[in-house]
Amino acid sequence: MELRHLSAFVAVAEELHFGRAAKRLQMAQPPLSQQIRQLEKELGVQLFERNTRSVRLTSAGDSFLQPVRTVLDDLDTAVRAAKSAGRGEYGRVTIGFAGASSHETLPLLTRAVRAAHPALELVMKGQTYANVALDRVADGSLDLGFVRLPVTRPGVAYRVIDEEELVCALPSDHRLARPENEIPIDALVEEPFVSFPADTGSTVRDAMVGACEVAGFNPRVVQEAPDSYTILALVAAGVGVTLTVTSVQHIQQNGLVYRRLSGPPIRLRAALAWRADNPSAALRAVLAVAEEALPTPTGPAGGRTSASRH
């Protein structure tokens, strides 16, 4: 039994006229009559009573009609679902991000994706620091990651979505916390620091340590915390100071201030990263939405970095 036989049966059953059914199916009448005879032979029952003047369903044909319509409707639904999935309208995309630094960019992306593809599922993996996100994108356990440059994993593509600057967060009663004061990094040489754990893959910690080393010292980290919210609460409590990024300055609390660093700005570029060979249509759909929701910064400082393969 072939689908064309079922489609032919439904057309004749609805038209009750072989000529009109053949025209509807855009075929000649003799092949249509042959298909109906083949179907009846396979079923072992007569589906139509026909004579030179009329065509009508037999009781067997009448019983057969609704189940066949259901089969054809289900097939059409399956075909449309497959095509929609191929366009990325359905499916699942796993996204790794680290909370506070994605405070603005992540909601812009997720809201835009849900508006464009409401049936597409986004699985969010929080506290996935940039280097860890990069590793998980590279090994395929994440589809998409919020990372920072440089992106050096083989097979990983990326696009820059933001540019941040390293700033100093310190207690509001700190001697260096004067309004509009820019802080030389070497003025922090004796200060206790609060930061992410060394083994979390945090690019912010890497940038902090690197900036201090350039200034001639290693930061003395007296307490570690898993996220920016906790780190900045500890700073506000007077435990120490930290170097962080401008994207977390939405975190405001009593006892906490942010101050720029003196000298040339220390910039970190944020990016979206994905495996270049990931075949997921859903991922391609998310990336297309991201082009609009999170455009690459332009200008001398934030010039576009094209997705590239290493």
Side-chain angles (χ1 to χ4, degrees), residues 222-244:
V222 297
Q223 191 158 340
E224 297 176 332
D227 57 74
S228 292
Y229 296 99
T230 307
I231 289 170
L232 294 171
L234 291 169
V235 171
V239 174
V241 302
T242 195
L243 299 185
T244 188

Side-chain angles (χ1 to χ4, degrees), residues 168-179 181-194 220 234-242 255-259:
C168 185
L170 61 167
S172 57
D173 59 356
H174 194 279
R175 60 184 177 82
L176 297 173
R178 296 185 301 276
N181 188 39
E182 291 191 354
I183 299 174
I185 295 180
D186 58 9
L188 303 173
V189 63
E190 300 295 336
E191 297 295 329
F193 279 76
V194 183
R220 181 169 57 90
L234 291 169
V235 171
V239 174
V241 302
T242 195
L256 174 69
V257 296
Y258 300 95
R259 294 293 180 261

Side-chain angles (χ1 to χ4, degrees), residues 94 131-143 153-156 274-278:
T94 56
N131 286 335
V132 174
L134 200 51
D135 289 339
R136 291 181 181 172
V137 166
D139 69 22
S141 56
L142 282 178
D143 294 309
R153 303 300 189 278
V156 174
W274 64 96
R275 278 198 65 88
D277 61 359
N278 189 326

Side-chain angles (χ1 to χ4, degrees), residues 207-294:
M208 180 189 80
V209 172
C212 292
E213 287 178 345
V214 169
F217 70 99
N218 290 313
R220 181 169 57 90
V221 177
V222 297
Q223 191 158 340
E224 297 176 332
D227 57 74
S228 292
Y229 296 99
T230 307
I231 289 170
L232 294 171
L234 291 169
V235 171
V239 174
V241 302
T242 195
L243 299 185
T244 188
V245 285
T246 47
S247 60
V248 306
Q249 290 183 117
H250 64 278
I251 301 174
Q252 298 288 335
Q253 52 187 292
N254 291 333
L256 174 69
V257 296
Y258 300 95
R259 294 293 180 261
R260 291 177 61 91
L261 298 172
S262 61
I266 301 171
R267 295 191 173 96
L268 289 78
R269 286 187 174 186
L272 290 175
W274 64 96
R275 278 198 65 88
D277 61 359
N278 189 326
S280 168
L283 172 62
R284 291 196 299 272
V286 170
L287 291 174
V289 171
E291 287 275 356
E292 298 293 328
L294 300 174

Side-chain angles (χ1 to χ4, degrees), residues 94-211:
T94 56
I95 302 177
F97 68 99
S101 59
S102 302
H103 169 77
E104 294 184 359
T105 52
L106 182 65
L108 288 173
L109 177 61
T110 56
R111 283 197 292 264
V113 169
R114 287 176 178 135
H117 305 293
L120 195 155
E121 182 183 2
L122 298 178
V123 180
M124 314 306 297
K125 303 290 186 179
Q127 287 200 359
T128 307
Y129 302 104
N131 286 335
V132 174
L134 200 51
D135 289 339
R136 291 181 181 172
V137 166
D139 69 22
S141 56
L142 282 178
D143 294 309
L144 190 64
F146 282 78
V147 304
R148 289 190 177 89
L149 269 56
V151 173
T152 57
R153 303 300 189 278
V156 174
Y158 69 91
R159 183 176 62 81
V160 173
I161 59 169
D162 196 11
E163 186 169 74
E164 304 170 275
E165 189 174 316
L166 211 60
V167 295
C168 185
L170 61 167
S172 57
D173 59 356
H174 194 279
R175 60 184 177 82
L176 297 173
R178 296 185 301 276
E180 305 306 319
N181 188 39
E182 291 191 354
I183 299 174
I185 295 180
D186 58 9
L188 303 173
V189 63
E190 300 295 336
E191 297 295 329
F193 279 76
V194 183
S195 189
F196 296 97
D199 59 355
T200 56
S202 167
T203 53
V204 174
R205 174 160 177 148
D206 292 346
M208 180 189 80
V209 172

